[in-house]
Amino acid sequence: CPSPVQLWNHGIITRAGVLTRFSEEKVRFELLRQDKAIVTEHGIEFNGCFYSCPEAITQKWFETARKSRFKVLVSFDPRLVDQIYVHALDGKGQPLLASLTERSGKYSSFSFDEVKYYECLRQQVRRASEHERLQNTVNFREKTQPVIEAAQKRLKATQC
């Protein structure tokens, strides 16, 4: 991932000191990390969060994803999950700014690492509760089985 100093030094060497000027927005965007996201019927899913943008809605990405999910390239700031940039599907044009959906609103103002940690904790709690539920079922059957068997024996005895 290039840093501003590396870009500056590269410009000095290759442009012989005549540097090109770029807007702060463009430089910031180019320095963001990139990765793939999956478009689903619930939104653009990236690192455990769901995003949407008006363009995706008007172009019916989510309806298309109900039949067949597809990948898109996104740029993101790992320090904040609130918004990501979705690159144009054809690779041309401006990136689309996507924001968290209501489904992922609970992660607002989190970093991607915090979301990952939170999801890990949720899975641990889910596994623990599943284990506890199964143990309760086993305990219940152990306690009720002798009563059921005794009742079935009495029923057979009265039927004969």
Side-chain angles (χ1 to χ4, degrees):
C1 186
S3 70
V5 172
Q6 290 172 330
L7 291 172
W8 176 266
N9 291 335
H10 174 74
I12 293 292
I13 293 168
T14 60
R15 303 283 298 183
V18 182
L19 300 178
T20 305
R21 293 192 177 266
F22 294 102
S23 68
E24 183 179 340
E25 281 182 21
K26 174 124 174 96
V27 172
R28 183 180 183 284
F29 175 75
E30 293 299 328
L31 292 173
L32 292 175
R33 294 184 185 175
Q34 292 184 357
D35 205 350
K36 295 279 185 181
I38 298 174
V39 178
T40 71
E41 62 274 12
H42 301 294
I44 302 164
E45 184 179 1
F46 179 67
N47 285 352
C49 296
F50 289 91
Y51 297 87
S52 181
C53 61
E55 295 86 352
I57 293 170
T58 58
Q59 294 174 15
K60 302 187 187 252
W61 288 8
F62 309 129
E63 288 84 358
T64 303
R66 282 191 185 123
K67 296 175 189 153
S68 175
R69 294 178 173 191
F70 57 96
K71 292 182 180 182
V72 292
L73 183 64
V74 297
S75 292
F76 65 99
D77 182 350
R79 300 170 298 175
L80 188 64
V81 300
D82 292 358
Q83 296 177 327
I84 60 173
Y85 292 93
V86 181
H87 294 249
L89 294 179
D90 60 3
K92 301 173 185 173
Q94 296 286 52
L96 310 172
L97 183 62
S99 300
L100 285 174
T101 62
E102 283 185 33
R103 176 181 283 256
S104 297
K106 62 188 169 209
Y107 300 129
S108 181
S109 301
F110 282 26
S111 71
F112 282 103
D113 286 338
E114 289 170 330
V115 170
K116 186 176 180 181
Y117 178 72
Y118 179 78
E119 284 298 318
C120 183
L121 286 177
R122 253 182 56 176
Q123 286 179 359
Q124 288 175 356
V125 167
R126 189 178 301 134
R127 276 190 234 117
S129 66
E130 178 67 18
H131 176 72
E132 187 175 331
R133 187 187 66 77
L134 288 172
Q135 188 61 47
N136 288 340
T137 302
V138 168
N139 293 344
F140 175 76
R141 287 188 179 161
E142 283 178 354
K143 288 185 180 191
T144 58
Q145 196 62 35
V147 174
I148 293 171
E149 288 174 359
Q152 286 174 341
K153 284 181 185 176
R154 275 190 271 137
L155 180 64
K156 283 183 183 178
T158 59
Q159 289 177 350
C160 292

